[in-house]
Amino acid sequence: MGVDYWNGAQAAHRRVMMKAAGYSDIDIRRKPHIGLPNSYMAGSPGSAHLRQIAEAVKEGIWSAGGVPVEFGIPATCGNIANGAEELKYEQVGRDIVAMSVEFVTKVHNFDGLAMIASCDNIIAGCYLAAMRLDIPSMVVTGGSMQPGQHCGETIVEADLDAARFSGASEEDLMEMEDNVCPSFGACPSMGTANTMQMLGEVLNLVIPGTSTIPATDNAKLRKAREAGMYAVEMSKKNIKPSEIITKEVIMNSIMFDMAVAGSTNAVLHILSYAYELGIEITLEDFERYAKEIKCINAVVPSGPYTVVDFHYAGGVLNVMKMLEKKLFTDLPSMYKDRTWRDILDTITPEENEVIRSLENPLFDEPGLKILRGNLSPNGAIVRPTAVYEEVMYMKGKAKVYEGDREAFEAIQAGKIVAGDIIVIRYEGCKGAPGMKELMLSIDALIGKGLHKSVGLISDARFSGFNFGAIIGHVSPEAFDGGNIALVENGDEIVIDIPNGEVSMLVSDEELENRRKNWVRPKLKEGKGCLNIYAKMCRPAEEGGAMQPWDLDGKYSSR
């Protein structure tokens, strides 16, 4: 505890501020102070309900003898900027959230953290903050929303975009709008938000069995109260992330992500966590487990079910039980004195239509796959379970565009035909800057019915909602002079997902000649957080976070 920080004459000025805020002397001096970073934001269903969850967490902290100190952290909803240039801010948001938590926590000298978050890069930033600060920390998730019902069918948010580009009338779209997102919580497909909520359990930052409780289920409040109580216990026992997030825990998170076909964005986050902890993890680790772990999860877009179905089909713990023979289980759980083996010994595997066993996978492919070739020598990422059989292998002519909107306009104008391979560049970490999610062009392909006959390659990233032969995170990115910057219209490109290859059929000599004429473009943002991000971020294959320091190796031997 930070007792010395709050006691003695030197702390009078601190105590008076806390007293003026309503805290009593005994609370200030003798009880563990638990910071409550709350990502409540009124403009998103993923965060508009978090005040109620925060109140339950605070009740738990008070009842266990702690002092909750709630404060706000930035929160956005990626769908607000869907299709807009501002979507490139989302990736940067992870680092801004982590820094916000770091800033307040350092000044207030909290004994522990109970962070409250649901969505995409916000919850990812909370995990990053926990690892950076290395004080007893947990995250309480907001859970997933209920799926919508429209014309007798279950629908999710991505269906609205598909309908929009398929030519649905404004009247039809309005009717879908009123039904597609019927509750609070993260959109119920296997997007980044739910992927990261689930991974919190595996990373020992979310209480096992709680991450996917739907926002509409009152068990969410009960478990939030219990989480608050355990946050106090963690602080008293001084259970730090560096003690319970080892290299093997990170490996477990990779295996889990393969099994559930999580969002490709999870790769960026996992890599940044390892770097933050000084643990050496590379894309080769993802490649290795991709050969061992097949997708066993039938949640959209890899199957017809939602995360609500996933939760009631056994959730994260059921998947972990299915993976038990592959996982590292003789290592600490969030409870420290209980291993993951202890936890899984209490779980009975339940194979069902949502969660399969490793012996009976949903696909013969992993949920994520690393592709390499002369177009992306440092690696690119695809989600094979969301790729149609017709485009698992493609050889086609390149059509090159300098951004998402430019490609979108070409698709809308009918300039893209079956067999084409779209190349979208200068949308990576530095090129965007911010590593934009491509939504316009991909949704347009689906709306035009080209998602089963056209490939797309980019140094940008994708939403977890997206599907098709879409390959992202190409590295080195175009802004750094990667070969994707040298592609010309008409170049033949090969996409071979089964064999893990993405290449342009252009000789090394020709590429060298083109490189002599390449000029790095001017950075698109002259000031502000995007400019700072572009100058401070690591490349995509190292997580793309603002971590300009060298890997310190502090925990690399663990």
Side-chain angles (χ1 to χ4, degrees), residues 190 198-199 252-262 289-290 292-299 302 310 316 318-320 322-323 326-327 354-358 361-363 365-368 385:
M190 205 65 197
M198 293 177 192
L199 283 174
N252 283 351
S253 75
I254 295 172
M255 286 187 267
F256 180 89
D257 205 36
M258 294 290 174
V260 299
Y289 288 120
E292 300 179 19
I293 309 291
K294 309 301 181 189
C295 176
I296 61 173
N297 178 34
V299 170
S302 299
F310 174 88
V316 171
N318 196 19
V319 173
M320 294 289 277
M322 298 298 183
L323 296 176
K326 294 284 187 180
L327 297 174
V354 184
I355 299 172
R356 302 279 191 90
S357 67
L358 274 181
L362 190 68
F363 293 90
E365 290 279 357
L368 295 169
T385 58

Side-chain angles (χ1 to χ4, degrees), residues 194-410:
N194 279 302
T195 299
M196 296 314 297
Q197 290 193 54
M198 293 177 192
L199 283 174
E201 293 188 40
V202 188
L203 290 167
N204 293 333
L205 288 169
V206 175
I207 289 180
T210 68
S211 67
T212 56
I213 298 173
T216 54
D217 190 328
N218 282 336
K220 175 58 71 179
L221 295 179
R222 295 195 297 274
K223 292 300 180 181
R225 196 170 290 109
E226 291 174 16
M229 296 172 68
Y230 186 60
V232 177
E233 185 178 340
M234 288 185 79
S235 71
K236 289 179 177 179
K237 292 181 177 179
N238 199 26
I239 302 174
K240 299 178 180 180
S242 61
E243 297 174 341
I244 58 175
I245 307 177
T246 64
K247 185 170 185 174
E248 290 77 17
V249 168
I250 301 287
M251 294 299 188
N252 283 351
S253 75
I254 295 172
M255 286 187 267
F256 180 89
D257 205 36
M258 294 290 174
V260 299
S263 167
T264 51
N265 290 318
V267 178
L268 295 166
H269 300 319
I270 290 170
L271 289 167
S272 72
Y273 300 154
Y275 202 91
E276 192 68 43
L277 290 168
I279 297 171
E280 192 171 356
I281 298 289
T282 70
L283 288 180
E284 291 179 359
D285 295 299
F286 288 83
E287 289 175 289
R288 181 170 74 255
Y289 288 120
K291 297 173 183 176
E292 300 179 19
I293 309 291
K294 309 301 181 189
C295 176
I296 61 173
N297 178 34
V299 170
V300 176
S302 299
Y305 299 100
T306 69
V307 175
V308 175
D309 299 318
F310 174 88
H311 176 74
Y312 295 120
V316 171
L317 291 178
N318 196 19
V319 173
M320 294 289 277
K321 188 67 177 181
M322 298 298 183
L323 296 176
E324 188 172 18
K325 294 177 183 177
K326 294 284 187 180
L327 297 174
F328 298 97
T329 56
D330 291 323
L331 45 87
S333 68
M334 189 175 183
Y335 301 113
K336 192 177 179 180
D337 58 349
R338 293 174 61 194
T339 67
W340 267 101
R341 183 179 300 281
D342 295 330
I343 292 174
L344 294 178
D345 280 348
T346 68
I347 305 299
T348 301
E350 181 187 344
E351 185 170 6
N352 47 59
E353 289 304 306
V354 184
I355 299 172
R356 302 279 191 90
S357 67
L358 274 181
E359 293 71 32
N360 181 34
L362 190 68
F363 293 90
D364 288 330
E365 290 279 357
L368 295 169
K369 199 163 189 176
I370 309 302
L371 306 182
R372 296 188 189 269
N374 68 352
L375 193 51
S376 187
N378 292 353
I381 297 174
V382 69
R383 183 193 256 172
T385 58
V387 179
Y388 293 94
E389 186 62 36
E390 295 94 322
V391 285
M392 289 291 280
Y393 176 89
M394 287 189 71
K395 181 187 287 187
K397 301 290 186 182
K399 289 190 176 174
V400 184
Y401 302 97
E402 311 297 306
D404 189 24
R405 179 161 290 280
E406 189 178 315
F408 165 76
E409 291 171 353

Side-chain angles (χ1 to χ4, degrees), residues 100 144 153 172 178 238 253 295 298 403 503:
S100 299
S144 61
E153 294 185 1
D172 288 340
D178 290 341
N238 199 26
S253 75
C295 176
S503 293

Side-chain angles (χ1 to χ4, degrees), residues 88 426 428-435 477 479-480 519-537:
K88 64 188 181 183
Y426 296 107
C429 296
K430 298 175 185 176
M435 205 176 187
E477 64 172 284
F479 190 87
D480 281 337
V519 177
R520 186 194 308 275
K522 183 180 177 182
L523 193 62
K524 292 176 186 174
E525 298 289 339
K527 60 182 179 180
C529 63
L530 293 178
N531 177 278
I532 295 169
Y533 174 82
K535 293 176 179 178
M536 303 294 282
C537 68

Side-chain angles (χ1 to χ4, degrees), residues 444-466:
L445 284 176
I446 295 168
K448 295 286 187 180
L450 293 169
H451 53 293
K452 295 184 180 182
S453 60
V454 170
L456 190 152
I457 300 169
S458 180
D459 51 10
R461 60 196 185 99
F462 306 111
S463 166
F465 300 159
N466 293 145

